[in-house]
């Protein structure tokens, strides 16, 4: 039986520790995007996007597929089920931190 490790403040995955990685994951939540669409959304450089997309693919958050769009071969990126689940868990962690901080009295 696999043990599930709940995300905690001290074990946030690397995918969420860099603003560009979080931006890439976030822009793919609504569906697949081409590299150019990702570039327009994130306003990052080609090199930075490529490096971070590669890392996210290696970690299983993002997948890519070659498609013909407007008679041109393009790479389309999408969020994996794992990536979506991890993002949801990260959001729950952030919500818990905010909720718990509002319960403390200074």
């Amino acid at each position: 039986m696999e043990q599930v490790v709940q995300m905690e403040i001290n074990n946030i995955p690397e995918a969420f520790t860099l603003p560009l990685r979080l931006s890439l994951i976030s822009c793919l939540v609504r569906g697949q995007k081409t590299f150019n669409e990702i570039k327009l959304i994130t306003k990052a450089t080609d090199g930075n996007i490529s490096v971070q997309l590669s890392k996210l693919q290696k970690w299983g958050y993002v997948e890519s597929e070659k498609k013909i769009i407007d008679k041109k071969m393009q790479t389309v990126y999408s969020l994996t089920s794992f990536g979506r689940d991890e993002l949801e868990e990260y959001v729950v962690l952030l919500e818990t931190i905010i909720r718990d901080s509002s319960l403390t009295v200074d």
Side-chain angles (χ1 to χ4, degrees), residues 2-101:
E2 189 176 322
Q3 184 172 351
V4 177
V5 177
Q6 189 76 19
M7 191 180 298
E8 295 177 354
I9 193 73
N10 61 349
N11 73 349
I12 295 171
E14 280 188 68
F16 304 113
T17 61
L18 192 68
L20 179 55
R21 288 186 207 138
L22 187 55
S23 293
L24 292 169
I25 291 169
S26 298
C27 84
L28 294 173
V29 166
R30 290 191 163 189
Q32 60 185 5
K33 305 272 185 298
T34 65
F35 189 90
N36 285 336
E37 290 170 326
I38 291 170
K39 186 176 176 180
L40 284 171
I41 293 166
T42 63
K43 308 221 183 318
T45 64
D46 290 7
N48 283 337
I49 294 169
S50 292
V51 167
Q52 299 312 322
L53 281 173
S54 292
K55 287 182 180 187
L56 291 170
Q57 282 186 279
K58 184 176 104 179
W59 296 332
Y61 288 79
V62 171
E63 58 191 6
S64 63
E65 179 184 355
K66 297 279 187 191
K67 289 187 171 185
I68 297 175
I69 301 172
D70 295 330
K71 298 182 183 177
K72 295 180 193 173
M73 185 64 79
Q74 293 189 25
T75 304
V76 177
Y77 297 88
S78 56
L79 198 58
T80 63
S81 296
F82 171 76
R84 182 174 290 280
D85 291 347
E86 286 288 287
L87 178 61
E88 287 175 5
E89 195 170 327
Y90 180 61
V91 169
V92 167
L93 172 65
L94 295 175
E95 289 172 339
T96 301
I97 291 168
I98 291 168
R99 185 185 64 241
D100 291 352
S101 70

